[in-house]
């Protein structure tokens, strides 16, 4: 919506500029008491405005999106200087040149009426007073001011887009907290875990106590730690470790469960419970009591990216399972809000295996993009 409004504003501004250019010729002909308006003059005015339009289009739809939006400030400035120089050279060496009547006559142009030197002025001296600006310099400054105005307008509209994005994130986060309590962590998991802990009370009291502590920490993570759009990766890894260790209690040796999670997270931030939703789906759809089953999870930090892999034995086509497609759509929507196009989610389903890879940057984008 904001992008359409921005383009609509540009269209109105340029339409007004061309109309004003035509009206200036009309009023000029009236002031000169000409009987008819010479439409060639209007056409010539519009042709003179075309280089400014081309300059705007290059900056607005090519240079700003490619360079400034991705933080390449040096390349952006260099590109702006280059197109301004080409713009000035074009005006200097093409066409009949600017209309002399558009600029005030300079001193020494010849004759008293033309601004020439007054009588009695020594040779080589010029009358005092401001000198008129060179037409090429004037157009260069005008082009630079147009680019600056274009960048300012883009910032204003981007600020509105970012504000709308934050509002949607806040709404999404509230809904996500409710969904996390209802769907993300299967209620059967808690029921079965409590049953396992109950059985451990007599067999291994220490392990039962440890399991209760892990379960309480998981509940606290769901209720409180997931209140923000992103949380430290270390908190999410702690949650996954507790989840996987309790799931291993439930399945014992009947399911191969392996996981490799990093100990050092280097200050990375991730959306809460996104990884947990993938792991929970792996156990829900990948475990069979009749066939050999496995869950293999790994996460590593590579340069400025977090690479998460989850593979499980596939007992049925997951995309046909009721509710799975909706859950994946919700996950993608949350990732789109936080990361835009700066993340990767790959899903493969070779024979009997479901593989998922999620690649996230260390932190979601928080800067303004143009």
């Amino acid at each position: 919506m904001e992008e359409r409004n921005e383009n609509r504003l540009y269209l109105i501004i340029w339409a007004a500029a061309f109309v004003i250019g035509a009206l200036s010729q009309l009023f000029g002909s009236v002031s000169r008491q000409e009987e008819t308006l010479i439409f060639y003059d209007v056409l010539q005015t519009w042709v003179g405005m075309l280089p400014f339009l081309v300059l705007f289009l290059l900056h607005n739809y090519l240079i700003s999106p490619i360079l400034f939006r991705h933080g390449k400030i040096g390349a952006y400035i260099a590109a702006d200087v280059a197109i301004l120089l080409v713009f000035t050279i074009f005006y200097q060496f093409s066409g009949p040149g600017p209309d002399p009547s558009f600029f005030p006559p300079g001193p020494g142009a010849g004759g008293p009426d033309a601004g020439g030197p007054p009588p009695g002025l020594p040779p080589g001296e010029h009358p005092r007073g401001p000198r008129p600006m060179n037409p090429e310099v004037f157009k260069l400054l005008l082009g630079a001011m147009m680019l600056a105005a274009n960048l300012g307008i883009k910032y204003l509209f981007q600020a509105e887009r970012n504000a709308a994005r934050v509002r949607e994130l806040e709404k999404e986060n509230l809904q996500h907290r409710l969904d996390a309590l209802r769907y993300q962590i299967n209620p059967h998991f808690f029921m079965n875990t409590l049953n396992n802990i109950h059985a451990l009370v007599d067999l291994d009291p220490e392990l039962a106590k440890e399991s209760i502590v892990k379960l309480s920490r998981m509940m606290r993570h769901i209720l409180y730690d997931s209140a923000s759009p992103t949380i430290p990766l270390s908190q999410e890894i702690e949650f996954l470790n507790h989840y996987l260790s309790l799931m291993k209690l439930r399945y014992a040796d009947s399911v191969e469960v392996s996981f490799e999670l990093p100990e050092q997270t280097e200050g990375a931030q991730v959306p809460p419970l996104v990884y947990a939703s993938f792991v929970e789906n792996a156990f829900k759809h990948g475990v069979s009591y009749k066939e050999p089953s496995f869950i293999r999870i790994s996460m590593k930090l590579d340069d400025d990216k977090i690479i998460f892999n989850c593979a499980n034995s596939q007992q049925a086509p997951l995309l046909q399972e009721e509710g799975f497609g909706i859950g994946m759509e919700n996950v993608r929507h949350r990732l789109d809000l936080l990361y835009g196009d700066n993340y990767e989610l790959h899903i493969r389903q070779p024979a009997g295996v479901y593989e998922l890879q999620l690649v996230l940057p260390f932190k979601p984008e928080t800067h303004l993009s143009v």
Side-chain angles (χ1 to χ4, degrees):
M1 178 62 71
E2 293 300 326
E3 185 174 355
R4 289 198 298 269
N5 291 337
E6 181 182 350
N7 290 327
R8 191 177 296 117
L9 176 62
Y10 294 145
L11 180 61
I12 293 173
I13 292 175
W14 279 105
F18 277 87
V19 171
I20 291 172
L23 291 177
S24 66
Q25 290 294 334
L26 173 61
F27 294 145
S29 65
V30 172
S31 64
R32 293 189 299 268
Q33 298 181 350
E34 296 179 357
E35 296 181 355
T36 58
L37 172 64
I38 302 178
F39 289 97
Y40 175 78
D41 293 338
V42 175
L43 181 61
Q44 190 176 33
T45 300
W46 286 350
V47 170
M49 296 171 63
L50 285 179
F52 286 95
L53 177 60
V54 173
L55 182 66
F56 164 79
L57 293 175
L58 286 174
H59 179 265
N60 189 69
Y61 296 106
L62 185 64
I63 295 177
S64 289
I66 294 178
L67 299 179
F68 199 92
R69 183 176 184 178
H70 293 87
K72 300 177 181 178
I73 306 300
Y76 167 78
I77 295 175
D80 276 356
V81 171
I83 63 171
L84 284 173
L85 289 177
V86 172
F87 171 78
T88 306
I89 293 172
F90 172 82
Y91 256 121
Q92 187 173 3
F93 294 101
S94 66
D99 184 0
S101 64
F102 184 79
F103 301 93
D113 297 335
L121 188 69
E125 294 189 16
H126 299 281
R128 296 180 181 180
R131 295 187 178 184
M133 183 180 294
N134 183 281
E136 283 72 26
V137 175
F138 173 78
K139 290 176 180 178
L140 176 62
L141 292 177
L142 187 60
M145 288 189 293
M146 182 186 68
L147 297 188
N150 178 216
L151 193 61
I153 292 174
K154 294 183 78 64
Y155 260 117
L156 290 176
F157 278 95
Q158 185 61 38
E160 180 59 31
R161 282 194 288 268
N162 286 350
R165 187 175 176 182
V166 169
R167 291 192 296 268
E168 190 174 358
L169 269 175
E170 292 175 349
K171 181 179 178 181
E172 177 76 11
N173 183 54
L174 178 60
Q175 184 62 44
H176 170 66
R177 292 179 65 187
L178 297 175
D179 291 343
L181 292 174
R182 296 174 182 174
Y183 307 117
Q184 292 289 353
I185 306 301
N186 197 322
H188 292 291
F189 161 77
F190 290 106
M191 181 184 66
N192 292 326
T193 302
L194 289 173
N195 288 334
N196 293 337
I197 293 173
H198 179 267
L200 287 173
V201 168
D202 295 326
L203 297 176
D204 194 337
E206 292 301 320
L207 182 57
K209 293 178 183 179
E210 181 182 344
S211 300
I212 292 173
V213 171
K214 291 179 180 179
L215 187 61
S216 66
R217 289 178 178 175
M218 291 177 61
M219 289 300 297
R220 183 180 61 195
H221 180 80
I222 295 173
L223 288 171
Y224 302 111
D225 295 343
S226 61
S228 302
T230 61
I231 60 173
L233 177 59
S234 57
Q235 294 183 12
E236 191 72 6
I237 288 178
E238 181 183 14
F239 179 87
L240 289 177
N241 276 318
H242 294 333
Y243 183 93
L244 291 169
S245 62
L246 291 179
M247 292 300 288
K248 291 182 71 174
L249 282 179
R250 174 182 174 184
Y251 291 105
D253 297 329
S254 61
V255 178
E256 176 196 343
V257 179
S258 64
F259 53 97
E260 299 178 6
L261 302 176
E263 297 181 358
Q264 301 296 327
T265 59
E266 302 178 9
Q269 297 276 330
V270 295
L273 299 179
V274 167
Y275 297 130
S277 64
F278 294 145
V279 174
E280 197 271 342
N281 274 319
F283 279 97
K284 180 179 179 180
H285 300 282
V287 173
S288 171
Y289 293 99
K290 298 180 180 179
E291 302 292 335
S293 305
F294 65 87
I295 309 288
R296 298 173 187 145
I297 298 163
S298 67
M299 180 188 298
K300 65 178 181 178
L301 307 182
D302 184 12
D303 293 332
D304 59 346
K305 296 184 181 301
I306 307 168
I307 303 175
F308 173 82
N309 291 282
C310 181
N312 59 269
S313 51
Q314 181 173 321
Q315 309 303 328
L318 297 187
L319 294 181
Q320 297 178 8
E321 293 282 349
E322 183 179 358
F324 182 82
I326 297 176
M328 183 61 65
E329 182 181 349
N330 290 336
V331 169
R332 287 184 183 273
H333 182 56
R334 292 183 62 219
L335 294 175
D336 288 340
L337 287 174
L338 283 168
Y339 299 96
D341 57 356
N342 195 25
Y343 78 94
E344 300 176 27
L345 179 60
H346 306 289
I347 296 175
R348 296 178 61 249
Q349 298 187 59
V353 180
Y354 182 88
E355 299 177 348
L356 179 144
Q357 183 182 76
L358 176 62
V359 181
L360 298 178
F362 266 35
K363 294 183 180 180
E365 296 180 357
T366 57
H367 60 274
L368 288 177
S369 57
V370 180

